[in-house]
Amino acid sequence: MLIIITGLIGVVALYSAAGGNTEPWAMRHGIRFGAGLCGMLVAALIDIRWWLRLSYPFYIASILLLIAVEVKGHIGMGAQRWIDLGVIKLQPSEFMKIGVVMALARFFHGASLEDVKHPLFLVRPLALVALPAALVLVQPDLGTALMITAVAGAIFFLAGVSYWMFGVVIAGVLAALPVMWHFLHDYQKNRILVFLDPERDPLGAGYHILQSKIALGSGGIGGKGFLKGTQSHLNFLPEKQTDFIFTLMAEEWGLIGAAVLFTIFVLTILYGFLIARASHNQYGRLIASGITVNFALYVFINIAMVTGLIPVVGVPLPMISNGGSAMLAVLFGFGLILSVGIHRDVKLARKV
């Protein structure tokens, strides 16, 4: 029910983003949401033992799609991230987030606690993360690459990897930051510099976040009312149908409306973790936890981004923002979580 409510809120928000019209976004969003729901139910009914067997094939298929993007992908907004299928432009990196979760859950399901505490044992799962992260990074899509890495880190933690290994990795990343800075694209550097000083480029790189803050403030406690948001409907707010749709809603429905939507997201996340906790097998626990962490990152990064708490990284608000691949991937992920819940008592052998 929480998922259906969220999807319907997305339809209403996109109707408003188009100035009170179902075209070009709301109708398509509703159709994709309906199709995604059907896929979610099918995924939920499939026995979790099948998902265990399909984990590596799904991961490999996602890798091949990422390679296909590099070879003959659709270019848009300066990035090469999509495959044009005619009816939809598929973004494989969105499904890669699920693929990494499935592959890591499959790998760690067959491992003992003693195994995961040995550094050399972690070379293979680290390679499972590094390959897709590198392919996504060259698109370029730094935000998705970081999300894949963060979700993988959560699964490593839940699988029982020692704390000192995380300390070594974090220290290594911090030490490498000056070197990594030189490999960032100019627009990525600008986003970080504008995050530190929004007034640095108010009509360029800082325009999005400055307009977003103005819209959030103008909404106040109760909002300006449905279809009455001035920043969004006078086109001051850019990307109001995708990355900044939370701002559009907060301007129209105010702090109260934003809090209600945020509460729905939090309840959905809690439900995902409860299903993970109830699972009687390691694969189910890691799958449900990893996908829930992925969903939580979508929510918190998008809201933190549009409120100026982190740099703009291009992460959509799940099931609300316009975009087919992200929504279909999220709903497929929820299908896997529901499968874990339905088959929570299934005993899975360590070796398959």
Side-chain angles (χ1 to χ4, degrees), residues 17 25 202-213 215 231-248 305-306 312:
W25 303 305
L203 297 179
Y207 182 79
H208 290 59
I209 192 60
L210 286 175
Q211 292 301 322
S212 180
K213 289 181 176 178
Q231 290 300 112
S232 52
H233 292 297
L234 294 178
N235 291 324
F236 288 107
L237 180 67
E239 303 298 335
K240 57 182 179 292
Q241 79 281 12
T242 55
D243 296 349
F244 288 84
I245 199 165
F246 182 81
T247 306
L248 176 146
M305 180 180 77
V306 301
V312 175

Side-chain angles (χ1 to χ4, degrees), residues 54-104:
L54 291 172
S55 291
Y56 287 152
F58 187 90
Y59 172 87
I60 293 170
S62 300
I63 289 288
L64 292 176
L65 286 173
L66 284 180
I67 295 173
V69 168
E70 286 302 308
V71 176
K72 198 175 180 179
H74 174 80
I75 299 175
M77 295 182 290
Q80 189 168 336
R81 302 174 184 170
W82 300 270
I83 297 175
D84 193 348
L85 300 178
V87 294
I88 186 174
K89 288 184 175 63
L90 186 71
Q91 188 174 352
S93 58
E94 295 295 338
F95 292 92
M96 192 71 250
K97 296 172 187 172
I98 306 296
V100 166
V101 171
M102 294 177 71
L104 290 178

Side-chain angles (χ1 to χ4, degrees), residues 8-33:
L8 293 177
I9 289 174
V11 173
V12 173
L14 290 171
Y15 177 82
S16 173
N21 200 320
T22 57
E23 295 292 343
W25 303 305
M27 180 65 75
R28 296 179 189 177
H29 185 84
I31 293 172
R32 287 192 294 246
F33 182 68

